[in-house]
Amino acid sequence: MSVAPAIEVRGVSKTYPGVRALRSVDLALRPGEVHVLLGENGAGKSTLVKIMSGAVQPDEGQISIDGQESALATPHDAQVAGISTVYQELSLVPDLTIAQNIFLGRETVAGPAKLLRRNQMERQAREKLQLLGVDVDPTTPVRELSIAMRQVVEIIRALARDAKVLILDEPTSSLSQQETQELFARIDQIRADGVAICYISHRLEEIERIGDRVTVMRDGQVVASDLPATTPLAELVRLMVGRSIESEFPPRSVELGDPLLEVEHLTVPGSVTDVSLTVRAGEVLGIFGLVGAGRTELLRAIFGLEKASSGTTAVDGHQVQIRSPRQAIRHGLALVPEERHAQGLVLGMSVRENICLSTLDECSRLGALSKDRTAQMADAQIERLRVKVPDRDVRVAALSGGNQQKVVIARALAAGSRILLLDEPTRGVDVGAKVEIYELINKLASEGKAVVVVSSELPEILGLSDRIVVMRQGRVSVVHDREAADQETLLQAALPVGEGAA
Ligand SMILES: Nc1ncnc2c1ncn2[C@@H]1O[C@H](COP(=O)(O)OP(=O)(O)OP(=O)(O)O)[C@@H](O)[C@H]1O
Ligand SMILES: [Mg+2]
């Protein structure tokens, strides 16, 4: 009964300096099926994706397409073979418009016909955007878009190629629930059209909805293949991390201290309106809201990255002026930004340098930057967060997505800050590492730090926070103690006015 695979890899291995990213991996994607690829951060999923997309060459192994052995020497080869990929790290060109990005590399017409062609492209782009329920002008330059919107454009670009193999590497990591549901509806159609789909996600609850079969990878190897998508989650987690995870949210009881951060009547024109909040020493304050509710802008404004038109900030009971990240850091604040590539990391620098980036003052107190000191600091954080790296001097660009996220957090911790602002800290992080980050947040709180966590995931907000602020359209819509909150009430409070009532 089994249909010939649209693409099959056999015995594929890939070694990077110090890392065996893939060891003799087999995988077959069949037409009309969604094949979920699971694995911890650094398990080798994206490397496999890149090999199937012609972006990386394997050291060993074969690839066949429709039963024919093929060498995918370049991404262009893969494209010609009908393979379309949404990469984990977005690959849009910021200076081009949405429409230009969607049709990039497929523009065939030059000369006078070009203008006509452009109008046509824009119309098509608009139609395709609407298929995912997004209403945005296709002539907008990509650089003006939020990450969520960039991810949507990236997905649409891949879908627009009418591929026979569609590979999606964490497509929903920045999407709202609604956008995710729209994407799933599209995937259902594409699957029905007989496309072979490979789907990667750390949101395990998505598997049953979207998957047909599941392959689990660990440390570069396949540890279980072709499991049904109905396999119990606990079993999949055990296969992924090699142990079972009992309670995802470790219990915590911390004596709350005095207010460490007090923000009053903060307004950022266009995104945040009259927001006040207080976080005490030892407290974890969760901020929930839908994408676009103003949460990221709020954190950025507190950290001096966004210009507020009014509002005051007090640290430790004293009014402070924070007009730049430098001042914020001096007052003991740290920000873990949502977009690790644009704001969080310097990809060309080493893990060590990135971790020590905001502490360069401290490390270079005696003039020259002390290598010993930064090495010590980096090693401490690498161990604390269990960042998977061959060594501290490897370039950040060589780390898996989830491990890059850990480096961003490590840097905030290395700065010795007392007030931590974390924007979607577990985005793209595997279940095991998520629990480690939760434990770490608890530990920081128990050391008397104040922690603010922005998250779009309700279980995470409910599991972590002492108090929860819900934002809606730039304002605080409600503040709950953990005990008084449940998924239903939080979601209601987050929905735009008018849509809340059932
Ligand atoms: N260009 C590279 N140079 C060196 N090492 C690399 C490179 N790309 C990946 N690696 C290493 O290969 C291993 C597998 O990485 P990969 O990105 O495939 O993991 P992943 O399963 O996609 O993880 P994540 O869930 O975090 O995205 C990791 O240890 C990573 O550090
Ligand atoms: Mg990856």
Side-chain angles (χ1 to χ4, degrees):
M1 64 151 265
S2 93
V3 200
I7 182 169
E8 183 170 18
V9 304
R10 257 169 293 119
V12 161
S13 298
K14 178 76 189 173
T15 300
Y16 289 111
V19 189
R20 293 186 67 185
L22 295 175
R23 299 185 227 188
S24 196
V25 166
D26 297 338
L27 182 76
L29 306 180
R30 296 193 158 73
E33 278 189 2
V34 176
H35 198 130
V36 176
L37 198 53
L38 277 187
E40 284 185 290
N41 297 134
K45 305 178 296 295
S46 296
T47 305
L48 187 56
V49 165
K50 288 174 192 160
I51 286 173
M52 293 191 289
S53 316
V56 162
Q57 295 307 308
D59 302 333
E60 289 170 13
Q62 288 96 43
I63 304 173
S64 351
I65 292 166
D66 288 333
Q68 295 277 338
E69 199 167 308
S70 322
L72 299 174
T74 64
H76 183 253
D77 286 357
Q79 218 171 303
V80 171
I83 299 161
S84 184
T85 308
V86 172
Y87 292 101
Q88 181 175 15
E89 304 304 347
L90 305 184
S91 59
L92 303 173
V93 184
D95 288 322
L96 298 184
T97 66
I98 296 177
Q100 285 168 330
N101 266 286
I102 290 176
F103 294 100
L104 195 67
R106 301 193 305 152
E107 243 203 296
T108 46
V109 195
K114 205 171 169 178
L115 185 68
L116 236 164
R117 171 78 182 128
R118 189 166 86 197
N119 292 336
Q120 192 191 340
M121 258 168 40
E122 281 164 10
R123 205 189 58 241
Q124 285 181 4
R126 194 178 311 252
E127 284 168 15
K128 298 202 184 286
L129 287 161
Q130 275 160 3
L131 281 178
L132 279 195
V134 244
D135 188 19
V136 55
D137 183 355
T139 62
T140 316
V142 159
R143 70 162 64 262
E144 288 171 21
L145 302 179
S146 68
I147 313 175
M149 199 53 81
R150 287 184 200 197
Q151 199 162 38
V152 167
V153 174
E154 185 96 15
I155 291 167
I156 285 170
R157 181 172 66 172
L159 297 182
R161 293 199 160 132
D162 296 326
K164 62 181 188 210
V165 175
L166 177 65
I167 305 175
L168 302 157
D169 194 351
E170 294 197 43
T172 57
S173 63
S174 295
L175 296 193
S176 67
Q177 276 193 3
Q178 192 185 339
E179 287 156 347
T180 303
Q181 292 316 316
E182 309 266 8
L183 173 64
F184 287 169
R186 285 291 296 145
I187 292 179
D188 285 340
Q189 290 172 0
I190 293 168
R191 161 171 44 201
D193 288 344
V195 174
I197 300 160
C198 178
Y199 189 87
I200 296 177
S201 175
H202 287 295
R203 295 186 178 170
L204 302 183
E205 70 281 3
E206 295 178 348
I207 296 169
E208 219 187 328
R209 162 68 183 87
I210 201 63
D212 294 303
R213 41 178 105 209
V214 182
T215 287
V216 185
M217 295 179 64
R218 187 162 77 227
D219 286 333
Q221 285 175 300
V222 170
V223 292
S225 55
D226 291 339
L227 300 171
T230 47
T231 308
L233 267 190
E235 170 68 5
L236 294 175
V237 168
R238 200 188 53 72
L239 287 164
M240 262 174 84
V241 303
R243 65 191 150 92
S244 40
I245 291 179
E246 267 99 55
S247 78
E248 195 180 349
F249 297 100
R252 184 166 62 92
S253 61
V254 175
E255 201 62 19
L256 297 191
D258 294 328
L260 261 187
L261 175 71
E262 293 161 280
V263 171
E264 287 193 32
H265 305 299
L266 184 77
T267 294
V268 179
S271 55
V272 177
T273 311
D274 195 28
V275 168
S276 300
L277 53 85
T278 301
V279 204
R280 296 163 66 182
E283 187 174 39
V284 179
L285 181 75
I287 303 186
F288 177 71
L290 304 183
V291 173
R295 300 164 303 164
T296 292
E297 290 80 4
L298 172 64
L299 292 198
R300 286 171 54 82
I302 295 173
F303 198 66
L305 275 166
E306 208 73 53
K307 203 168 174 312
S309 59
S310 62
T312 58
T313 305
V315 171
D316 249 343
H318 301 289
Q319 293 281 332
V320 295
Q321 294 279 3
I322 297 178
R323 293 214 185 82
S324 68
R326 188 168 255 280
Q327 286 173 332
I329 292 166
R330 199 176 311 133
H331 288 297
L333 278 76
L335 173 70
V336 170
E338 183 182 17
E339 193 178 4
R340 58 181 177 248
H341 274 189
Q343 301 153 5
L345 293 171
V346 185
L347 289 174
M349 284 176 26
S350 69
V351 172
R352 175 172 59 85
E353 288 163 320
N354 270 283
I355 290 178
C356 299
L357 215 53
S358 34
T359 42
L360 287 184
D361 284 353
E362 192 188 317
C363 295
S364 59
R365 194 165 289 147
L366 300 171
L369 187 75
S370 154
K371 259 208 145 168
D372 284 358
R373 182 83 189 85
T374 57
Q376 243 177 38
M377 199 178 258
D379 285 346
Q381 298 305 335
I382 288 169
E383 194 186 314
R384 184 174 196 184
L385 288 175
R386 288 190 238 173
V387 187
K388 197 177 167 196
V389 281
D391 73 83
R392 64 175 106 86
D393 286 312
V394 81
R395 282 182 320 128
V396 160
L399 300 191
S400 77
N403 281 296
Q404 291 182 358
Q405 182 68 5
K406 288 192 194 173
V407 172
V408 181
I409 296 176
R411 185 176 66 193
L413 297 181
S417 320
R418 298 174 59 210
I419 300 166
L420 297 163
L421 311 173
L422 313 177
D423 197 353
E424 304 279 4
T426 62
R427 178 181 161 217
V429 166
D430 71 53
V431 267
K434 259 186 196 166
V435 177
E436 284 164 23
I437 290 176
Y438 298 150
E439 279 167 357
L440 187 77
I441 290 174
N442 284 347
K443 179 157 175 294
L444 295 166
S446 70
E447 290 166 4
K449 297 184 197 294
V451 186
V452 181
V453 181
V454 163
S455 173
S456 301
E457 307 212 4
L458 278 169
E460 177 166 294
I461 283 283
L462 284 162
L464 266 184
S465 320
D466 294 302
R467 275 185 312 132
I468 300 161
V469 169
V470 180
M471 283 183 74
R472 163 166 70 200
Q473 296 168 324
R475 296 175 182 270
V476 172
S477 107
V478 74
V479 183
H480 278 301
D481 282 333
R482 187 210 314 239
E483 296 75 34
D486 58 35
Q487 301 218 6
E488 186 73 5
T489 52
L490 294 183
L491 200 54
Q492 281 294 326
L495 289 175
V497 187
E499 291 177 34

